[in-house]
Each structure stands twice: as C-alpha cells, then as structure tokens.
Amino acid sequence: MSPRDEIPSLKGQDGEGSVQVHQDPAARIEGAKVFSIYGKGGIGKSTTSSNLSAAFTTMGKRVLQIGCDPKHDSTFTLTGQLQPTVIDILKEVDFHPEELRAEDFVTEGWGGVKCVEAGGPPAGTGCGGYVVGQTVKLLKQHHLLEDTDVVIFDVLGDVVCGGFAAPLQHADRAVIVTANDFDSIYAMNRIIAAVQAKSANYKVRLAGCIANRSRETNEVDRFCDKVGFKRIGHMPDVDAIRRSRLKKKTLFEMEADADILACRAEYVRLAETLWRGTDPLAPAPLPDRDIFELLGFD
C-alpha cells in the first residue's frame, strides 16, 4: 500500500486543506444566537465579552458565556472569581461526563449569565478544538442550551490554527476586537482570513469589529474601507475599564460615573445591534506585503 493511501481527502471537509475534524451535525447549537469574539492577545476580548453578556441581560436575554482559554479568566468579572475548567472537572471523574451535574461546570454570574470555562489542554499537548467540542457536548447533554437566547464564545489570542477556530463551527457571527495600531489590525486581517475559510462550510459570517481601548479609530477605519469591513463599536481608553477588572466586576456593577455610563451605553447599543442582526460581511483580507504598505512605517 502506498503511504499516500492513508492521507484523507481534505477537500470540502472543513475548508480546503484543513486537517480539522468536521463538526458532527448533532453538536450544532440551535435556538440561540451565537457569537465568537476574536482578537489579538491582550486586546480585551474577555472584558468585551463579559460586558456584552451583561448588556444582553439588561435587555432581558438569557446568556451563556463560554471562555476558551487555559487561563480560564473569561468570566472572572461576571462571577468575581476564577472558575474551574471543563477539562479539569472531566479529569476528576476520569472523563466520565455522565457523573457530572450542571452545577459542577456552570456558575451563575451577574445578571444571571451562565458562565462556563472550557479551559484548554496542557501546554504543548492536545488541541483547543477538542476542548470546545467536549464543552458543547456537555452543555447539550444537560439541556443547558435549550433555554438560552445568546451564546458568547470568548476565544484566546489570534486565530493561528484550526483548534482556535473551532468555535466558528458553532457561531452565527464572528466579532473581532482590535485597537487603532498596526499589530492589532494585522491580527484582525488574519482572523478575517480564518473566518472566511470557515464560512465556506459553516453558517458563520463576520459581523464587524470593535475598536477597543482606542482614543482614535482612524487606522481601523482606513483598513476597513480598504478591505470592505465595518467597525460596529468603539470603546475608548478610559480608566474605568481597568478599574472594573481590578474590582472583579463588569461595568454594569460599578458605581456609576460619566465614563462608566458612557461605556455601558455603548455596550448596550452594541448588544442591540448584534441582536437585531448584522449584514454578513465578506471582506477581502490583505496579503502581508499590502497590509505593511497600508499601515506600516515609511
């Protein structure tokens, strides 16, 4: 037998050239609007996700937030503490999920947000896609998605492999958190390419980007105009957001001042925009050389 006989056909399975396992139809999330939040590492995805979750609850929506990072700090400001991860809890029962109760891996946070930390494999081993898959399977087995209006996946770092892109198999819309600087926009360009690849076989489409911790948005807007993308939110660089993390609270729990009220209003406006539905965007990501020419130094 030729060694090539063992190479699977990759065409059309999960994007041409992908070696990721195609999603089992039984794992689809139905009935809820599903959003995946991406962006450069450290850009503020967890802060954005948690405040978006809180904003949705103020609209009367039933929200589930899933953190997809080994740091398991996505829901930190919603619950006030780090939560155990699904993978760690599964290890405790020797990976027998039938022994788990919903309260073993789901914590109710501020406003009634259901909080789950998927976690991740030990450094240098395994794949984040497996972790996401196991988490969604558990949620379905416990019927926790049946009374949920909104699911938010908060996904670690840049999309550099299919494992990090696994939440896109479940999402209706992908939202990118960026800043008004080259590195953040460069990462956004790569994430756009990843979402476009997934959209060939899944329902996920791009909703737009949020300029976070940025006084200006001129570079973000210039990039969006160039590739056919859209900025749907802007969160200025205010100290209230930093303080909310230190106090282990979302902005919706903080004592109100002018900055906090303005940020809350922007998160609610953004949540309303996403709930109403955004046009499916299909921007054309730039080759590396072109993005350096657009945004790089002279």
Side-chain angles (χ1 to χ4, degrees):
M1 180 177 66
S2 166
R4 294 195 59 82
D5 292 339
E6 297 180 2
I7 299 176
S9 171
L10 302 177
K11 210 167 186 179
Q13 295 299 305
D14 194 13
E16 186 170 352
S18 173
V19 296
Q20 294 298 303
V21 176
H22 196 64
Q23 184 192 61
D24 183 345
R28 290 175 184 157
I29 298 175
E30 298 175 347
K33 295 189 178 185
V34 184
F35 304 101
S36 285
I37 312 296
Y38 284 90
K40 174 180 170 288
I43 199 63
K45 294 180 295 297
S46 294
T47 299
T48 299
S49 298
S50 295
N51 281 293
L52 258 182
S53 290
F56 275 119
T57 67
T58 67
M59 298 163 52
K61 307 305 178 188
R62 300 166 298 178
V63 184
L64 168 66
Q65 182 170 320
I66 303 173
C68 305
D69 190 326
K71 293 198 308 293
H72 59 105
D73 63 344
S74 172
T75 60
F76 179 70
T77 55
L78 286 164
T79 64
Q81 57 187 344
L82 289 177
Q83 300 302 315
T85 71
V86 167
I87 287 301
D88 287 341
I89 292 166
L90 281 171
K91 284 180 183 176
E92 291 177 3
V93 295
D94 199 25
F95 290 88
H96 291 290
E98 68 277 3
E99 297 182 16
L100 297 179
R101 302 164 300 167
E103 54 265 35
D104 292 330
F105 59 94
V106 180
T107 302
E108 185 171 305
W110 186 87
V113 177
K114 289 182 287 189
C115 301
V116 179
E117 293 287 352
T125 67
C127 176
Y130 168 79
V131 176
V132 171
Q134 290 300 304
T135 299
V136 172
K137 186 183 296 184
L138 263 180
L139 292 167
K140 289 182 76 81
Q141 287 172 350
H142 288 268
H143 307 286
L144 292 169
L145 296 169
E146 295 172 8
D147 59 349
T148 300
D149 301 310
V150 175
V151 177
I152 293 179
F153 284 97
D154 172 18
V155 191
L156 74 164
D158 309 345
V159 176
V160 293
C161 76
F164 293 165
L168 296 173
Q169 297 179 342
H170 303 282
D172 300 296
R173 290 287 185 270
V175 178
I176 303 175
V177 181
T178 187
N180 201 48
D181 60 61
F182 176 82
D183 288 344
S184 302
I185 296 171
Y186 182 85
M188 175 162 62
N189 189 64
R190 288 176 57 83
I191 294 164
I192 286 172
V195 177
Q196 297 291 65
K198 284 290 184 184
S199 70
N201 290 286
Y202 296 98
K203 63 182 177 179
V204 65
R205 297 295 183 270
L206 285 155
C209 67
I210 302 166
N212 192 49
R213 298 192 309 215
S214 299
R215 185 180 300 275
E216 306 293 339
T217 64
N218 57 312
E219 297 298 333
V220 172
D221 294 339
R222 192 152 67 96
F223 170 81
C224 288
D225 289 343
K226 179 72 174 179
V227 303
F229 203 36
K230 184 177 181 180
R231 177 173 57 81
I232 59 173
H234 175 209
M235 200 58 58
D237 186 10
V238 296
D239 191 57
I241 296 176
R242 181 191 65 83
R243 285 188 285 113
S244 75
R245 292 288 290 180
L246 292 175
K247 290 182 177 293
K248 310 174 189 177
K249 295 179 179 180
T250 68
L251 291 168
F252 291 82
E253 297 176 84
M254 295 280 287
E255 184 176 343
D257 60 23
D259 283 344
I260 286 176
L261 289 173
C263 290
R264 284 182 192 170
E266 176 66 353
Y267 277 119
V268 170
R269 186 200 64 77
L270 181 58
E272 289 173 344
T273 297
L274 292 171
W275 180 259
R276 286 194 303 267
T278 58
D279 293 333
L281 301 177
L286 296 175
D288 286 351
R289 181 181 297 275
D290 291 353
I291 197 168
F292 269 90
E293 290 180 355
L294 177 69
L295 301 172
F297 298 104
D298 294 332

